[in-house]
C-alpha cells in the first residue's frame, strides 16, 4: 500500500501556469505543498482546516474548521468578502465532503464568485469526478477532465484534475 501523494501534480501546476495569467489571485480550498509552488507565480488565498498547514507558505490564510462535512461557511464568506480572485482551486477539505460546495453555491449560502477559472484536483476519484460534473452542470459551463500518469508513484492508477473555463464576458 502506497500513501497517495496529496500535493497537486507537476502537470496540474504547469497547466495552471499556462492557463491562468501570471500574477492572478487563486482562492484555494485546501492548502499544501502545492501552495508553495503556486505562490511563486500567483497570489494565493488559502482556506485550510488544519493548523499544521496554516501560515506555512506565501499565502493569505484563513483557518476554517469543518462543520457539517465542509468548511464553516460563515468563516469562508467572511474571509472572501471584499476579495477578488481569478481562479478557484478545489483541493479540500481533507476531512470532509468536497461535493457539499455545489449545494452551498446553488443555495446561495456560499458567496463565491464562480465566474472564474475553476480547477478541481483528484478528478480520478469518484467524488472528485462527481464534483466536476455537478459543478459543470450547475454553472452551465463545459468541464474538461485531464488524466495523466501520476508523477509520484508511477505504478499507481492514473490521476486526473478537471478544469472549468471562466464565464465569457458578455459585451
Amino acid at each position: 500500500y502506497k500513501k497517495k501523494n496529496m500535493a497537486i501534480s507537476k502537470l496540474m501546476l504547469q497547466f495552471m501556469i499556462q492557463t491562468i495569467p501570471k500574477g492572478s489571485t487563486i482562492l484555494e480550498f485546501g492548502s499544501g505543498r502545492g501552495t508553495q509552488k503556486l505562490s511563486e507565480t500567483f497570489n494565493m488565498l488559502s482556506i485550510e482546516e488544519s493548523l499544521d498547514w496554516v501560515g506555512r507558505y506565501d499565502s493569505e490564510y484563513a483557518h476554517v474548521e469543518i462543520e457539517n462535512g465542509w468548511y464553516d461557511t460563515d468563516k469562508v464568506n467572511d474571509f472572501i468578502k471584499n476579495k477578488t480572485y481569478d481562479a478557484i482551486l478545489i483541493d479540500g477539505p481533507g476531512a470532509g465532503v468536497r461535493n457539499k460546495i455545489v449545494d452551498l453555491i446553488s443555495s446561495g449560502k456560499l458567496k463565491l464568485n464562480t465566474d472564474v477559472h475553476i480547477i478541481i484536483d483528484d478528478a480520478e476519484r469518484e467524488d472528485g469526478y462527481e464534483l466536476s460534473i455537478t459543478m459543470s452542470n450547475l454553472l452551465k459551463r463545459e468541464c474538461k477532465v485531464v488524466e495523466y500518469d501520476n508523477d509520484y508513484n508511477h505504478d499507481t492508477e492514473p490521476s486526473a484534475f478537471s478544469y472549468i473555463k471562466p464565464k465569457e464576458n458578455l459585451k
Side-chain angles (χ1 to χ4, degrees), residues 71 85 90:
Y71 300 101
Y85 40 89
I90 302 172

Side-chain angles (χ1 to χ4, degrees), residues 67-102:
E67 192 177 88
N68 302 319
W70 202 74
Y71 300 101
D72 179 327
T73 310
D74 291 334
K75 287 187 177 179
V76 171
N77 285 334
D78 284 346
F79 179 67
I80 63 176
K81 190 171 53 184
N82 304 322
K83 286 185 171 64
T84 57
Y85 40 89
D86 309 287
I88 298 168
L89 170 58
I90 302 172
D91 196 17
V97 184
R98 286 186 189 184
N99 296 7
K100 283 194 83 168
I101 192 172
V102 174

Side-chain angles (χ1 to χ4, degrees), residues 101-168:
I101 192 172
V102 174
D103 297 333
L104 293 167
I105 291 168
S106 61
S107 70
K109 288 182 182 135
L110 180 62
K111 310 292 184 216
L112 200 61
N113 172 18
T114 56
D115 297 339
V116 299
H117 300 271
I118 298 175
I119 297 100
I120 301 167
D121 197 13
D122 307 312
E124 77 281 0
R125 300 193 318 220
E126 192 176 337
D127 65 336
Y129 183 76
E130 185 183 309
L131 172 57
S132 303
I133 299 307
T134 55
M135 183 73 83
S136 169
N137 290 338
L138 172 69
L139 302 177
K140 295 176 177 50
R141 286 168 23 214
E142 185 186 345
C143 178
K144 178 181 174 185
V145 177
V146 180
E147 258 191 47
Y148 56 92
D149 285 330
N150 193 302
D151 44 16
Y152 298 104
N153 304 325
H154 294 285
D155 55 346
T156 60
E157 293 295 306
S159 295
F161 64 89
S162 62
Y163 172 67
I164 301 171
K165 279 186 185 169
K167 191 172 185 177
E168 297 299 319

